[in-house]
Amino acid sequence: MDLSIFDRMESEVRGYIRSFPVIFSKARGSELYDEDGRGYLDFFSGAGTLNYGHNNPVLRERMMAYLESDGVTHGLDMATSAKKYFMQTFDRLVLEPRGLDYVLQFTGPTGTNAVEAALKLARQAKGRQNVISFTHGFHGVSGGSLAATANQKFRKAAGVALGNISFMPYDGYFGPDVNTMAYLERMLDDPSSGLDHPAAVIVETVQGEGGVNVASQCWLRELERLCRRHDMLLIVDDIQVGCGRTGGFFSFEAAGISPDIVTLSKSLSGFGLPMSLVLLRRELDVWEPGAHSGTFRGNNLAFVTAAQALETYWTDGTLSADVAAKERLVRDWLENLVHSFRAASLGVRGRGLIQGLVAPVGDDLAGRIARRAFEQGVVIETSGARDEVLKVLPALTIAREQLLQGLEIIERSVGEVLAGAGLRPRALKIAGGGR
């Protein structure tokens, strides 16, 4: 397969093509096909952009009908019928059932645009500059969101100083026995801690790019309590783990917290179309008209497919129950792998259908497993500060048979990579066999 045009014409900044060096030409559901017709199971889902799979037929049909009717495709932030219907549907199926009263701000098309808007708004509303972010957090790679991103690789590329952010330890950063909320509370209470009074705290309930680190519900509730006590806004970045990835539409629902601001993107459109959204409490809407703008904040095709996704998957609890069942299957499979290869010192963490197989740092074990899985037909990536976590991120709608097939390939890949390192499973039957 000739990829020379990409080497010759595309910038060195290209990334995922290096992990998956084939030319993909078709996609359907949880399957990708390259130009030679070979199929691959997608356990990556566009980094969480395709929660409902590739080319979802229900969403595609609605989009095609809209196009054939000469519906507006680009409208800046003018009123259109597609935008109106999305807002009505979002209010009816997402906000009202959860007792949430948010104003909707449509930003530029990517997640980092939503984060930029949220940070700017929080600083305006509180009249303070500092914002707390967390170790291993990822919020985007444009100026303000990059300042709140912890990963050194991305920060080094900025070319300028990144300020007005104070990093605090995420849940579990110092191990299971250290309460990092107590540390944050001490810093906030001590007038000589050196911590400037923050306008807001921005947090992911599950850090996807940071290594599938999961904040406990208790930790999140304590964080909300501190925000209220110290007059700080709570921003939940739900860009990767929202829209059903952890079971509920919002990842924070299980903790029973009420963020002041929520950022959404990735799977919001349901079809992989660019779309971002900031949800904010009404009293925080201090924007002047046009104060935060953008040419592509009116993607009407995304409004159409997003509304259809809500009506298809969020009228009842069927999808959430299905995610919970698949979570148990994936978790059980990965934990059996850990048990079968005890000498490899593997681990498992995650929520919903974002699960991570954690490998020891230093020998690129997760990367080698990902490459071996791709050779056998599974698209899967790694995450974490040192790419030490194999991130299992299939579509929420993946068929059980496809999920099992992909897990078997991952299991085989783990076994082969570890065998090459002289590690064998504890039993003759490979881990997870016989399910």
Side-chain angles (χ1 to χ4, degrees), residues 349-362:
R349 56 180 180 242
R351 271 185 65 200
L353 279 181
I354 177 169
Q355 296 289 328
L357 182 66
V358 186
V361 172

Side-chain angles (χ1 to χ4, degrees), residues 132-258:
I132 288 175
S133 188
F134 291 95
T135 52
H136 290 203
F138 180 89
H139 299 287
V141 294
S142 57
S145 56
L146 179 55
T149 293
N151 189 288
Q152 187 181 66
K153 176 182 73 174
F154 300 113
R155 295 180 67 84
K156 285 171 63 177
V160 297
L162 300 170
N164 299 316
I165 296 288
S166 296
F167 284 94
M168 293 291 159
Y170 193 74
D171 192 15
Y173 184 72
F174 294 116
D177 299 326
V178 177
N179 180 3
T180 59
M181 270 300 104
Y183 175 88
L184 175 56
E185 185 165 26
R186 176 63 175 153
M187 293 290 289
L188 290 166
D189 284 341
D190 184 354
S192 291
S193 68
L195 178 64
D196 293 330
H197 189 187
V201 173
I202 185 166
V203 66
E204 303 157 276
T205 66
V206 182
Q207 295 180 324
E209 297 305 307
V212 196
N213 305 305
V214 181
S216 71
Q217 295 178 19
C218 178
W219 189 87
L220 291 169
R221 287 191 289 267
E222 279 295 291
L223 179 60
E224 182 184 48
R225 180 185 66 81
L226 286 182
C227 285
R228 301 294 174 250
R229 182 180 163 211
H230 291 275
D231 187 33
M232 305 180 301
L233 299 180
L234 176 58
I235 305 171
V236 170
D237 182 343
D238 237 7
I239 289 168
Q240 184 163 113
V241 296
C243 300
R245 178 57 58 180
T246 62
F249 185 84
F250 297 111
S251 71
F252 56 81
E253 291 179 47
I257 62 174
S258 298

Side-chain angles (χ1 to χ4, degrees), residues 84-94 306-307 310-311:
K84 175 184 176 181
Y85 190 68
F86 167 75
M87 289 193 292
Q88 291 171 330
T89 306
F90 193 83
D91 192 34
R92 174 171 56 90
L93 296 179
V94 177
L310 293 175
E311 292 186 320

Side-chain angles (χ1 to χ4, degrees), residues 331-353:
R331 186 81 179 200
D332 174 69
W333 201 287
L334 295 180
E335 287 179 347
N336 271 278
L337 268 177
V338 171
H339 178 74
S340 296
F341 291 97
R342 284 187 177 177
S345 300
L346 303 173
V348 182
R349 56 180 180 242
R351 271 185 65 200
L353 279 181

